[in-house]
C-alpha cells in the first residue's frame, strides 16, 4: 500500500476574474522509503497540490479528490484537530526561503524545542538533548552554541539545515521539500541535497522533492512526475525520464537545458508545439 | 580587434560598515583587484556565488557606483565618476539588464513609456519617432505592437525580461551588463531569452558582461569566463580553458557541486544508492 | 526571432485601466462597511452640493417666534422645522445641511495642504537622506511631539481665530504623518531595480523623484489621506467647539455644538444632531479608508 495515495485531485481558486483551476485531476502516490520528484515550471501546480495535502491552502481554495489518503487515513475528511497531529509529525514540510521560514524573534533552539513539546510532549531536559542531537544530524557542528542563535545570525544554508532538523524532529514518515535549494548557492545546494537524501535513506522516510530544476531531479529522485499547468504530463522512473521521455513537453524541457545545446541555438518549447498536448 | 569595449585595471571596491562617531568600524573588501578586458561582440561571463562581489563589480561597470581605486575604460576612454561624473554620451554606451524582471520595470509605467523614456531623457526626438523606435524594438525582442499600451504586471516573467532587454537597447549601447538575467525564469523561458540575447548580439555587435551563478548557462553563452570568490578573482580565461582544466580549488568545488543531468551520472548515482541500501 | 509562447496573466481583450478599476472594485466591495461608507459619503457630498436647493430656510435666518422648537415629531414641534430650531430660532435642518459644506471643505483643503507639504518634504528627505533628511525629520518629530489639538490651539491663538486659520493650523499638524509615510515609501522604492534602470537611462533627480518613485508611493498615501480627512473634520469641530474655529453665525457643526452647550438638558436635539452628523461623516470616511487599505494593499505586493 502506498504511503500517500492521491486520486483525481483538483484544486481551484476563487479569484477576481473567476474560478481558476491550479491543479486538475492529478493522481499521485508515494511509497515508503521512496524519493519522488515533482517537476514543473511556475504555474504547474506542483506546490499547490502538496499544500493541499498539508491543508495549508487559503480559504479561497477548493480541494476535491476521489481519494486523499496518508498511511491509510483519509486526510480530506479528517477533523482539523486530528489533522494537526499528523501534519508536522508524520508529514513534515520544508520551504524555499529558509530564512523567512524561521521566526526571527526566537532562537533556533526554542523553535526546535517547541516542535518537540507540541508533538511529542517531551520534558525540558529531553528536549534540549534531542535538539542538540538533531542539529548534529543535519551537520551543524557547534550545536550547543547554535541553539542560542537567532535566524538572522546564520547563513541561508544553515537556516535550511535548521528547518530540516525541525522537520525530522518527530521522525516523519513523509518529508515534503518545496524547492529546498532554489534560494541557495550551488555549492550549498549540493550539501543540502546530499543531506536530504542521506537522511531519507537513514530514517527510511519517503521524500517528495518539488523543484523546477532538472539537475536537482537527476541528483536525487527515484521516480519523477512532470507537470504542466496543473496537469500531469509524464510519470516514470528517473532513468527512463532522461533516457526515453515519452511526453513532448518533457522532451522540450530536457532539450532546453543549456547542457544539451547542439549548435548555437537552444531548442525552446515553442519549437516543439505551440502547446503541449494536455 | 582594435580598442576593447571594456577594460579595467585593478578595480577595488571597499565598503565601510558599522562606522560611528567614535569607532572606525570595519572595512569590507567587496571587490579586490579585478582586471578584465572584453572585445567587441564578445561575452565575458562573471561567475560567483552570493558574496563574491560580482554584483558590486556590475554596479561599477555600469557606472552606477565608483570604484574605490583602479581604472575603468569604456571604448578606450577613461571614466572617473567621482572626478568628472558621467557624461550622457558615456551613459548611453553602457546599459544593464537586471535579475528580477518583476522589480526592474516601473509598475506604474506603460510598456511604451518604459521603452521611450531613455529617448525622452537623452534625445530631442519628436514623440512620433520615439514611438516608432519603441515599436520596432518591441518587435525585435519578440513582442507584439499591441503590448505597447499595457502595464508590466500584465506580462509574464519572460516577457518582462524581453521588455527590460528592449529598454536597455533603446540607446544603442555598445556594452550590455546582464546581471543574472535568466536565473529568475523558468527553464523553457530561459532558453528563449538566451536565444534572444544571442540573436541580438549578432545583429548589433553587442558586447556582453554576463553575470551568473549557473555554470551550464555560462558554458553555453560565454567566450571568456571569470570566477570570483569572496571578492577575489580566482580564475580567468577562455571558456574552453576554464571548463576543461579549472586551476583554482574553488572553481573545482563549484564544478563538482553543479548538478549533472546526464544519463551516465544518473546511472552512477542509482548504482551507489543501490549499494548503500544493500 | 523566437516565438513567444508565454501567455500574459490577464486576458488581452481588457483594456488596462478598465481592468484595474474592475479589480479594484472587486477587492473594495469585499468589505460591506466600505461600500456603506461610500454610499453615505456620496449622499453627504450631494447634500452639500445642493444644500441651497434642498433647504427651505436660510441657515442664518432667525425666526423670532420659534426659539428652541423640538423636532417635528415631538409634541410642540412644527412641521416646517423638521429637526427643530436652535436657541436663536434658526432651522436646524438647514444649518446641518449647509454645515456639511463646511465640513467637507475643511477636509478637502486640509488634506490637500498637508498632502502637498508632506509629499514635498518626505520626497526630499527620503531621496537625498543625509543632512536634508535629518533636518526635515527632526522638525517633523518636533511637531509630532506636541499633542495635535494643543498645537493647533496655539497656532490658531497666534494667527487669530477663524475657519481659514483653523484649516492652516490643522494642515500643519497633520502634515508630518504624510511626510513620514512618503519618506518611508520612497526609501523602500528607491533601492528597487526599476529606479536604478531609470538612473541608467540617464534620468535626473527630479525625474526620478516625481515621475519614477512618487507614483509608486501613492497607495498608502490615499489611505492616509482618507483617514486624515475625517481627522481634519474632527479637529476643526473641536476648534469650533472651543470657539477658535468657524465663528458664528457660520453653520459649522463644531461651532453649533459649542453654542448649544448650555441647552443640553433642556433641548437635547440642538446638541444631538450636529454631534450625530460629525459621527456619521467621520465613521463613513474611516470605513472608506479601511476598505481602500484592503483593496490597495494586495496590489502593492503583487507588482
Amino acid at each position: 500500500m502506498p504511503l500517500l495515495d492521491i486520486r483525481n485531485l483538483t484544486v481551484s481558486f476563487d479569484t477576481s476574474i473567476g474560478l481558476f483551476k491550479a491543479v486538475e485531476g492529478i493522481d499521485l502516490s508515494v511509497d515508503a522509503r521512496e524519493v519522488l520528484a515533482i517537476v514543473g515550471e511556475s504555474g504547474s501546480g506542483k506546490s499547490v497540490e502538496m499544500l493541499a495535502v498539508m491543508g495549508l491552502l487559503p480559504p479561497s481554495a477548493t480541494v476535491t479528490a476521489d481519494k486523499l489518503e496518508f498511511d491509510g487515513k483519509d486526510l480530506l475528511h479528517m477533523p482539523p484537530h486530528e489533522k494537526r497531529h499528523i501534519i508536522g509529525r508524520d508529514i513534515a514540510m520544508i520551504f524555499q526561503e529558509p530564512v523567512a521560514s524561521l521566526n526571527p524573534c526566537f532562537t533556533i533552539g526554542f523553535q526546535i524545542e517547541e516542535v518537540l513539546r507540541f508533538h511529542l510532549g517531551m520534558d525540558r531536559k529531553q528536549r534540549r538533548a534531542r535538539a542538540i542531537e538533531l542539529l548534529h544530524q543535519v551537520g551543524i557542528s557547534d550545536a550547543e552554541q547554535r541553539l542560542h542563535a537567532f535566524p538572522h545570525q546564520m547563513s541561508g544554508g544553515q537556516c535550511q539545515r535548521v528547518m530540516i532538523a525541525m522537520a525530522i524532529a518527530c521522525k516523519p514518515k513523509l518529508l515534503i521539500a518545496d524547492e529546498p535549494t532554489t534560494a541557495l548557492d550551488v555549492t550549498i545546494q549540493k550539501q543540502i541535497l546530499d543531506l536530504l537524501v542521506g537522511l531519507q535513506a537513514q530514517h527510511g522516510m519517503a521524500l517528495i522533492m518539488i523543484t523546477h530544476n532538472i539537475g536537482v531531479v537527476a541528483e536525487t529522485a527515484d521516480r519523477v512526475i512532470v507537470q504542466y499547468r496543473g496537469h500531469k504530463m509524464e510519470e516514470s522512473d528517473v532513468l527512463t525520464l532522461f533516457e526515453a521521455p515519452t511526453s513532448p513537453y518533457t522532451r522540450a524541457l530536457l532539450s532546453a537545458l543549456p547542457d544539451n545545446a547542439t549548435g548555437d541555438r537552444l531548442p525552446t518549447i515553442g519549437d516543439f508545439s505551440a502547446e503541449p498536448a494536455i | 580587434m582594435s580598442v576593447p569595449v571594456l577594460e579595467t585595471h585593478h578595480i577595488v571596491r571597499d565598503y565601510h560598515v558599522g562606522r560611528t562617531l567614535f569607532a572606525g568600524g570595519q572595512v569590507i573588501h567587496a571587490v579586490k583587484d579585478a582586471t578584465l578586458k572584453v572585445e567587441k561582440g564578445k561575452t565575458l561571463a562573471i561567475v560567483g556565488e552570493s558574496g563574491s562581489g560580482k554584483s558590486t563589480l556590475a554596479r561599477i561597470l555600469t557606472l552606477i557606483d565608483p570604484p574605490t581605486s583602479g581604472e575603468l575604460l569604456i571604448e578606450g576612454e577613461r571614466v572617473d565618476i567621482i572626478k568628472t561624473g558621467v557624461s550622457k554620451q558615456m551613459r548611453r554606451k553602457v546599459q544593464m539588464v537586471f535579475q528580477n524582471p518583476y522589480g526592474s520595470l516601473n509598475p506604474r509605467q506603460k510598456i511604451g513609456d518604459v521603452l521611450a523614456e531613455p529617448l525622452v531623457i537623452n534625445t530631442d526626438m519628436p514623440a512620433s519617432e520615439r514611438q516608432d523606435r519603441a515599436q520596432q524594438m518591441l518587435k525585435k525582442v519578440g513582442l507584439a505592437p499591441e503590448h505597447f499600451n499595457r502595464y508590466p504586471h500584465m506580462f509574464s516573467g519572460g516577457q518582462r525580461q524581453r521588455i527590460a532587454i528592449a529598454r536597455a537597447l533603446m540607446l544603442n549601447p555598445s556594452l550590455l551588463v546582464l546581471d543574472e538575467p535568466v536565473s529568475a525564469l523558468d527553464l523553457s523561458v530561459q532558453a528563449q531569452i538566451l536565444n534572444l540575447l544571442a540573436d541580438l548580439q549578432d545583429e548589433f555587435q553587442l558586447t556582453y558582461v554576463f553575470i551568473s551563478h549557473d555554470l551550464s548557462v555560462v558554458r553555453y553563452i560565454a567566450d571568456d569566463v571569470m570566477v570570483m570568490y569572496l571578492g577575489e578573482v580566482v580564475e580567468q580565461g577562455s571558456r574552453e580553458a576554464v571548463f576543461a582544466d579549472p586551476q583554482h580549488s574553488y572553481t573545482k568545488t563549484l564544478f563538482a557541486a553543479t548538478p549533472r543531468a546526464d544519463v551516465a551520472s544518473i546511472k552512477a548515482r542509482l548504482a551507489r544508492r543501490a549499494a548503500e541500501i544493500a | 526571432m523566437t516565438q513567444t509562447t508565454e501567455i500574459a496573466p490577464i486576458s488581452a481583450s481588457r483594456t488596462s485601466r478598465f481592468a484595474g478599476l474592475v479589480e479594484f472594485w472587486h477587492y473594495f466591495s469585499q468589505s460591506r462597511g466600505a461600500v456603506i461608507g461610500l454610499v453615505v459619503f456620496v449622499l453627504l457630498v450631494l447634500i452639500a452640493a445642493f444644500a441651497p436647493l434642498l433647504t427651505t430656510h436660510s441657515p442664518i435666518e432667525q425666526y423670532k417666534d420659534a426659539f428652541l422648537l423640538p423636532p417635528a415629531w415631538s409634541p410642540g414641534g412644527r412641521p416646517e422645522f423638521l429637526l427643530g430650531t436652535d436657541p436663536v430660532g434658526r432651522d436646524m435642518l438647514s444649518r446641518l445641511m449647509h454645515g456639511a459644506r463646511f465640513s467637507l471643505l475643511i477636509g478637502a483643503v486640509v488634506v490637500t495642504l498637508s498632502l502637498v507639504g508632506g509629499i514635498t518634504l518626505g520626497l526630499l528627505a527620503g531621496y537625498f537622506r543625509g543632512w536634508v533628511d535629518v533636518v526635515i525629520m527632526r522638525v517633523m518629530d518636533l511637531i509630532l511631539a506636541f499633542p495635535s489639538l494643543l498645537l493647533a490651539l496655539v497656532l490658531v491663538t497666534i494667527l487669530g481665530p477663524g475657519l481659514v486659520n483653523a484649516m492652516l493650523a490643522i494642515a500643519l499638524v497633520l502634515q508630518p504623518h504624510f511626510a513620514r509615510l512618503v519618506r518611508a515609501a520612497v526609501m523602500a522604492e528607491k533601492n528597487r531595480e526599476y529606479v536604478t534602470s531609470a538612473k541608467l537611462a540617464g534620468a535626473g533627480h527630479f525625474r526620478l523623484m516625481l515621475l519614477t518613485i512618487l507614483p509608486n508611493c501613492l497607495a498608502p498615501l490615499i489611505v492616509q489621506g482618507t483617514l486624515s480627512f475625517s481627522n481634519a473634520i474632527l479637529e476643526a469641530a473641536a476648534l469650533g467647539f472651543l470657539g477658535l474655529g468657524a465663528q458664528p453665525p457660520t453653520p459649522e457643526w463644531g461651532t453649533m455644538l459649542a453654542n448649544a452647550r448650555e441647552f443640553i438638558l433642556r433641548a437635547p436635539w440642538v446638541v444631538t444632531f450636529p454631534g450625530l452628523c460629525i459621527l456619521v461623516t467621520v465613521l463613513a470616511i474611516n470605513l472608506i479608508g479601511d476598505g481602500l487599505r484592503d483593496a490597495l494593499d494586495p496590489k502593492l505586493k503583487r507588482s
Side-chain angles (χ1 to χ4, degrees), chain B residues 59 62 64 88 91 94-96 98-100 102-108 110 117-118 120-122 139-143 149-151 153-156 158-159 162 167 171 189 192 195-196 199, chain C residues 1-17 19 23 189 192-204 207 211-213 215-219 299-300 302-303:
Chain B
R59 290 178 70 89
T62 44
I64 300 173
K88 275 197 171 173
R91 178 67 82 206
V94 189
Q95 288 294 313
M96 186 169 182
F98 297 88
Q99 168 176 7
N100 178 4
Y102 295 87
S104 60
L105 299 175
N106 187 344
R108 308 268 161 179
K110 284 182 189 172
E117 193 179 31
V120 175
I121 297 169
N122 289 291
K139 227 162 97 195
K140 275 230 159 68
V141 297
L143 293 169
N149 280 322
R150 298 203 192 143
Y151 286 92
H153 72 264
M154 307 168 90
F155 292 89
S156 67
Q159 287 172 321
R162 285 169 194 272
R167 175 188 169 109
L171 291 170
V189 182
Q192 294 170 0
N195 283 339
L196 173 67
D199 291 339
Chain C
M1 200 57 42
T2 32
Q3 210 188 338
T4 3
T5 53
E6 302 141 36
I7 293 196
I10 290 175
S11 67
S13 59
R14 295 195 191 184
T15 54
S16 55
R17 210 163 284 271
E23 194 185 335
E189 293 294 323
R192 300 270 306 267
E193 285 173 340
Y194 70 86
V195 180
T196 314
S197 87
K199 217 184 279 175
L200 274 176
R207 194 181 176 89
L211 294 177
T212 311
I213 299 179
N216 289 294
C217 304
L218 285 181
K299 195 153 193 168
L300 271 181
R302 225 174 309 137
S303 51

Side-chain angles (χ1 to χ4, degrees), chain B residues 88-143:
Chain B
K88 275 197 171 173
Q89 220 55 40
M90 195 52 82
R91 178 67 82 206
R92 294 175 66 159
K93 286 183 186 163
V94 189
Q95 288 294 313
M96 186 169 182
V97 175
F98 297 88
Q99 168 176 7
N100 178 4
Y102 295 87
S104 60
L105 299 175
N106 187 344
R108 308 268 161 179
Q109 229 175 4
K110 284 182 189 172
I111 300 312
D113 299 329
V114 170
L115 294 184
E117 193 179 31
L119 298 178
V120 175
I121 297 169
N122 289 291
T123 63
D124 36 17
M125 220 177 256
S128 59
E129 199 184 332
R130 284 202 301 262
Q131 187 159 347
D132 284 350
R133 287 286 266 310
Q135 292 270 18
Q136 277 168 20
M137 194 51 82
L138 210 54
K139 227 162 97 195
K140 275 230 159 68
V141 297
L143 293 169

Side-chain angles (χ1 to χ4, degrees), chain A:
Chain A
M1 190 187 65
L3 182 66
L4 178 69
D5 196 5
I6 300 173
R7 293 280 156 256
N8 195 17
L9 173 74
T10 298
V11 182
S12 44
F13 287 90
D14 188 19
T15 69
S16 66
I17 48 170
L19 209 64
F20 169 71
K21 281 191 179 171
V23 174
E24 212 173 346
I26 292 278
D27 295 344
L28 183 156
S29 70
V30 191
D31 292 327
R33 304 175 158 270
E34 186 188 29
V35 184
L36 170 75
I38 305 177
V39 201
E41 308 192 310
S42 47
S44 62
K46 56 190 192 301
S47 297
V48 171
E49 63 199 42
M50 284 305 122
L51 291 174
V53 171
M54 301 286 282
L56 293 175
L57 289 170
S60 64
T62 322
V63 181
T64 60
D66 295 349
K67 193 175 180 186
L68 208 167
E69 279 186 8
F70 174 76
D71 211 8
K73 286 178 284 246
D74 181 11
L75 282 180
L76 201 57
H77 302 104
M78 187 179 282
H81 62 93
E82 258 177 68
K83 208 168 173 174
R84 268 203 294 279
H85 285 283
I86 293 187
I87 303 301
R89 198 178 65 184
D90 291 334
I91 311 178
M93 191 162 180
I94 56 173
F95 300 93
Q96 178 173 344
E97 291 287 345
V99 185
S101 305
L102 288 166
N103 189 330
C105 297
F106 298 105
T107 62
I108 60 155
F110 178 85
Q111 294 185 54
I112 298 175
E113 287 172 30
E114 187 73 3
V115 178
L116 296 170
R117 193 178 59 81
F118 180 77
H119 285 296
L120 304 176
M122 288 179 170
D123 66 38
R124 187 187 292 261
K125 241 171 130 182
Q126 283 173 313
R127 292 204 298 261
R128 178 53 50 108
R130 176 81 174 125
I132 292 173
E133 186 193 334
L134 282 167
L135 286 184
H136 278 301
Q137 273 187 27
V138 296
I140 293 180
S141 47
D142 48 346
E144 283 85 350
Q145 286 88 56
R146 279 299 177 183
L147 281 180
H148 304 289
F150 285 92
H152 69 267
Q153 294 166 326
M154 314 210 301
S155 68
Q158 278 177 316
C159 282
Q160 195 60 295
R161 285 174 193 272
V162 172
M163 282 306 295
I164 295 172
M166 285 169 71
I168 62 166
C170 309
K171 303 206 170 76
K173 292 173 182 152
L174 170 64
L175 176 62
I176 302 173
D178 187 355
E179 304 265 12
T181 57
T182 306
L184 305 176
D185 280 330
V186 187
T187 46
I188 310 295
Q189 159 167 300
K190 170 86 174 154
Q191 296 166 8
I192 296 290
L193 290 180
D194 288 348
L195 174 67
L196 277 174
V197 174
L199 286 170
Q200 180 268 334
Q202 194 185 332
H203 289 265
M205 52 182 183
L207 175 63
I208 297 184
M209 199 74 145
I210 303 172
T211 184
H212 70 281
N213 188 329
I214 303 281
V216 170
V217 175
E219 293 270 338
T220 58
D222 296 327
R223 205 155 52 82
V224 186
I225 290 178
V226 181
Q227 276 186 214
Y228 179 76
R229 296 212 183 143
H231 293 262
K232 185 153 80 181
M233 291 288 116
E234 177 158 4
E235 179 173 0
S236 63
D237 66 89
V238 63
L239 205 54
T240 321
L241 186 91
F242 282 90
E243 258 179 345
T246 51
S247 96
Y249 177 72
T250 315
R251 280 204 291 276
L253 210 54
L254 289 177
S255 60
L257 277 177
D259 283 338
N260 298 345
T262 45
D264 61 346
R265 289 193 66 81
L266 288 167
T268 60
I269 304 275
D271 295 342
F272 286 79
S273 62
E275 275 301 273
I278 290 171

Side-chain angles (χ1 to χ4, degrees), chain B residues 225-244:
Chain B
V225 178
M226 177 170 134
V227 183
M228 290 184 75
Y229 181 60
L230 299 178
E232 207 139 359
V233 179
V234 296
E235 186 121 15
Q236 215 165 356
S238 73
R239 172 182 57 174
E240 289 75 17
V242 171
F243 275 89

Side-chain angles (χ1 to χ4, degrees), chain C residues 22-33:
Chain C
V22 168
E23 194 185 335
F24 168 75
W25 180 250
H26 173 84
Y27 286 112
F28 186 78
S29 59
Q30 297 277 305
S31 148
R32 190 174 300 170

